[in-house]
Amino acid sequence: MTTRIRLGVNIDHVATVRNARGGARPDPVRAALLAIEAGADGITAHLREDRRHIRDEDMARLKAGISKPLNYEMAATPEMLEIARRIRPHACCLVPEKREERTTEGGLDVVGQAAVLRPFIADLKAAGIRVSLFIEPDRTPIEMARELGADIIELHTGTWCHAVEAGQADKAEAEFQRLKAGATVGAEAGLEVHAGHGLDYETAERLASVPEFVEFNIGHFLMGEAIFVGLSEAILTMRVAMDRGRNAHR
Ligand code: PXP
């Protein structure tokens, strides 16, 4: 059966704009409420070690203020574990983090970090939090994610989206096939399969045709579109694109 794909809206960059001036506006919680009203199925926020966009109090206010699941993206550090245990989001998505990067540039090294991730994942699950791992769409990390006890994998779509944007048709097609194969491996391993990073209307529509994907997490593109058409309309248009992609598969 083909089901409707969930849209998680990442509101990090509302906080980026707010922090550019140091005040309270625009408020990421207001954006989250508006996103939900427009049809978002969940809200995603990344509390980075350097707090460059979302801050601790934003996470607490999001958890208290929204009616849909909160997906808390974070690095696997003791500080973040403590905050997650306190906030108790619906899910935590573990991502790699480097201070000097502009955004999350690759998947988590689940094989190299297995000894750290295994107890970390167990601690989050013991706190009643679902655990997602942001990884590359390859068999080895996917199987390791399952072995480590993750509930969800989020496949990194950045390389594919970048190739599409750059007009590199062959590379884009190869990356799409890699994502498709990864989604199959993940679903067969019993994992819930999500995707995110760099998705826009076009790429989200195409990827939604792969039935194993259950959720997309999308931020930067939607916030950019919101400047021109407003956040509600950007989310509605994304919703329609994802539904069209999913229905085209039937
Ligand atoms: N998923 C994960 C794990 C991410 O780290 C990000 C970026 O913060 C996203 C999804 C959203 O990516 P984008 O902002 O490019 O839509």
Side-chain angles (χ1 to χ4, degrees), residues 52-219:
R52 71 173 71 154
H53 38 57
I54 293 294
R55 297 179 179 144
D56 300 52
E57 59 272 24
D58 295 326
M59 273 299 177
R61 288 175 58 236
L62 282 166
K63 177 65 202 310
I66 66 171
S67 56
K68 295 272 171 144
L70 174 63
N71 177 33
Y72 172 180
E73 286 179 8
M74 63 187 214
T77 64
E79 183 201 17
M80 290 297 154
L81 179 61
E82 200 197 303
I83 298 170
R85 277 199 184 122
R86 202 167 56 238
I87 304 271
R88 288 181 163 269
H90 174 77
C92 278
C93 180
L94 303 183
V95 302
E97 216 177 277
K98 292 192 229 89
R99 268 177 189 273
E100 63 278 14
E101 70 189 357
R102 261 189 296 177
T103 181
T104 314
E105 280 165 2
L108 199 60
D109 176 14
V110 281
V111 176
Q113 298 282 303
V116 174
L117 289 170
R118 196 185 302 277
F120 201 93
I121 292 167
D123 283 347
L124 286 171
K125 288 176 76 168
I129 300 167
R130 300 187 81 213
V131 181
S132 174
L133 301 181
F134 186 50
I135 56 174
E136 294 294 324
D138 298 317
R139 181 175 287 277
T140 304
I142 294 168
E143 289 180 345
M144 183 54 94
R146 177 175 165 235
E147 218 262 294
L148 292 173
D151 305 290
I152 304 162
I153 47 169
E154 181 164 322
L155 300 183
H156 196 312
T157 52
T159 311
W160 174 52
C161 292
H162 200 263
V164 171
E165 203 179 337
Q168 299 164 330
D170 291 350
K171 183 172 181 196
E173 189 52 32
E175 286 297 328
F176 178 75
Q177 294 304 330
R178 190 175 158 224
L179 283 160
K180 201 171 160 185
T184 306
V185 174
E188 280 173 4
L191 294 158
E192 189 173 305
V193 185
H194 298 182
H197 211 283
L199 291 169
D200 61 11
Y201 297 139
E202 183 195 340
T203 46
E205 178 171 343
R206 174 122 200 254
L207 202 64
S209 71
V210 179
E212 287 82 6
F213 286 110
V214 170
E215 178 176 310
F216 292 164
N217 284 301
I218 310 178

Side-chain angles (χ1 to χ4, degrees), residues 18-25 55:
R18 176 195 61 192
N19 297 354
R21 282 294 174 93
R25 293 181 298 195
R55 297 179 179 144

